[in-house]
């Protein structure tokens, strides 16, 4: 997965930095401090589990292992896309920009837009109040889209 000029893509460069950065941030406690805020919007027992389990060194190592597979998997999908036929596919993308991830969020939204447009029954759903964590910031949007696809809610 190289950039058009032949070097590693931005995603690949970020993936290479992830192991060192993730473990350092988890070890320092910043990972829990920065990440657990969004989970606090969940019911109290789920938020407690989120804080206790999702920001540990173990969680950071698991995230790193997932990242190793993620970049390779994206490359394979580009080479051999899945044939989805007439299946309805909704691509939900957070469009809220923050200073820290503005360029990445814009690139992801553009990629999501292209993905939805390339699918015969693709649909882009913009989560305007969300960045990366749509499931925390706009869970109702996800539920509504699932119900729409399942036939429970009209457009």
């Amino acid at each position: 997965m190289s950039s058009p000029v032949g070097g590693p893509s931005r995603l690949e460069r970020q993936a290479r930095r992830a192991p060192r950065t993730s473990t350092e941030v988890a070890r320092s406690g910043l990972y829990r401090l920065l990440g657990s805020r969004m989970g606090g919007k969940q019911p109290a027992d789920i938020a407690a589990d989120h804080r206790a389990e999702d920001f540990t060194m173990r969680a950071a190592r698991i995230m790193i292992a997932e990242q190793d597979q993620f970049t390779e998997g994206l490359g394979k999908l580009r080479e051999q896309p899945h044939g989805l036929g007439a299946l309805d596919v909704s691509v939900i993308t957070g469009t809220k920009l923050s200073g820290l991830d503005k360029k990445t969020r814009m690139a992801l939204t553009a990629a999501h837009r292209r993905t939805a447009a390339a699918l015969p029954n693709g649909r882009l759903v913009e989560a305007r109040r969300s960045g990366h964590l749509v499931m925390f910031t706009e869970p109702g949007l996800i539920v509504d889209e699932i119900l729409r696809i399942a036939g429970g809610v009209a457009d």
Side-chain angles (χ1 to χ4, degrees):
M1 211 167 57
S2 296
S3 71
V5 293
S9 70
R10 184 171 179 208
L11 178 62
E12 287 172 314
R13 289 190 306 272
Q14 287 175 334
R16 286 186 195 132
R17 287 191 305 263
R20 185 185 72 240
T21 304
S22 297
T23 54
E24 289 172 1
V25 173
R27 189 177 295 114
S28 73
L30 285 174
Y31 190 32
R32 177 171 282 135
L33 179 69
L34 296 172
S36 64
R37 187 182 83 199
M38 294 304 294
K41 296 182 178 189
Q42 303 301 307
D45 59 331
I46 294 171
D49 287 346
H50 181 66
R51 279 189 303 277
E53 298 172 14
D54 293 347
F55 302 101
T56 62
M57 285 294 293
R58 178 177 180 266
R61 285 191 293 273
I62 290 169
M63 183 176 67
I64 291 163
E66 290 172 345
Q67 185 66 40
D68 288 344
Q69 301 301 311
F70 178 74
T71 303
E72 182 182 333
L74 279 180
K76 286 180 181 178
L77 274 175
R78 284 184 177 169
E79 294 167 13
Q80 299 175 334
H82 294 302
L84 300 174
L87 184 67
D88 286 336
V89 177
S90 295
V91 180
I92 300 175
T93 188
T95 59
K96 183 177 179 182
L97 301 176
S98 71
L100 294 176
D101 72 344
K102 187 175 182 178
K103 286 183 182 177
T104 302
R105 176 63 31 214
M106 290 170 64
L108 285 171
T109 300
H112 293 161
R113 202 176 304 294
R114 287 190 303 273
T115 297
L119 296 167
N121 290 328
R123 170 182 160 96
L124 182 75
V125 178
E126 294 186 4
R128 298 186 188 282
R129 296 188 326 264
S130 302
H132 178 65
L133 299 171
V134 178
M135 66 282 205
F136 289 140
T137 51
E138 294 182 72
L141 183 93
I142 297 169
V143 170
D144 289 347
E145 194 59 17
I146 292 168
L147 291 173
R148 187 194 68 76
I149 289 175
V153 176
D155 271 339

